[in-house]
Amino acid sequence: MTLPSFPSLTSLPAAEHPDRVAAPVAAALAEWSRAAEVAVVDIDPGLADTAAMSEAYDIPLTASGNCVVVAGARAGDERVAACVVRADTRADVNTLVRKLLDVRKASFLPMERAVAESGMEHGGITPVGLPATWRVLVHDVLLEEPVVVLGSGVRRSKLLVPGAALADLPGAEVVAGLGR
């Protein structure tokens, strides 16, 4: 099987290199049926933010997926979702995500809490390996991309995933119009 790649990056089989990703990501890859299709690439950790990484490695924003964590509550029941949106858009938190979570108000989870609960670094949070209680909402347009760049749980690397595989992530819900 050919690994997803970009000419400016060296792809390695992610499942065979657990030392290059966060522990929860490595554990999820060990269980995911599509893990053999996922590559890990080393990057300069100073370039982990999407815009900097895209420019430095000549990656189109349309091939990058940003993962933001959102929470809201109804009747004391907290509801958390990771929203994976194409990098040239923003998650529609105030309308669509709020309705999907069935909460009165949805807000970004504080960074410290997202990092602590995901077991991943800020700037590296990915939909691969998140807590099972979190919903994973995936922007439908990402499924059309041959390769999507995602965080790896750490800032020093990224995952390259076939777009269609995002629909098969554990707990993934494909959402039309998630990014605006």
Side-chain angles (χ1 to χ4, degrees), residues 8 25 30 44-46 67 70-71 74 78 80 87 93 97-98 103-104 106 110-111 120 127 137 140 146 159 161:
S8 57
V25 176
D44 177 338
C67 185
V70 177
R74 174 162 305 271
E78 184 180 54
V80 179
V93 174
V97 175
R98 181 183 56 78
V103 295
R104 180 163 282 132
M111 178 192 51
M120 301 177 197
L137 308 177
D140 62 328
L159 297 178
V161 181

Side-chain angles (χ1 to χ4, degrees), residues 55-133:
E55 184 176 333
Y57 296 104
D58 196 28
I59 307 293
L61 287 176
T62 55
S64 293
N66 285 339
C67 185
V68 296
V69 184
V70 177
R74 174 162 305 271
D77 176 37
E78 184 180 54
R79 299 161 188 193
V80 179
C83 304
V84 186
V85 296
R86 197 171 67 192
D88 64 344
T89 69
R90 292 178 179 246
D92 183 5
V93 174
N94 294 320
T95 305
L96 184 58
V97 175
R98 181 183 56 78
K99 287 179 183 176
L100 288 168
L101 293 178
D102 190 26
V103 295
R104 180 163 282 132
K105 180 181 179 194
S107 304
F108 293 103
L109 203 64
M111 178 192 51
E112 297 80 14
R113 187 168 162 212
V115 166
E117 292 183 21
S118 70
M120 301 177 197
E121 295 175 2
H122 173 66
I125 294 178
T126 181
V128 181
L130 291 173
T133 56

Side-chain angles (χ1 to χ4, degrees), residues 11-71:
S11 293
L12 300 170
E16 295 176 21
H17 294 277
D19 57 312
R20 287 181 154 86
V21 302
V25 176
L29 288 169
E31 301 293 322
W32 190 27
S33 63
R34 299 200 62 177
E37 301 173 55
V38 179
V40 63
V41 295
D42 294 325
I43 63 163
D44 177 338
L47 300 172
D49 293 330
T50 304
M53 189 266 320
S54 293
E55 184 176 333
Y57 296 104
D58 196 28
I59 307 293
L61 287 176
T62 55
S64 293
N66 285 339
C67 185
V68 296
V69 184
V70 177

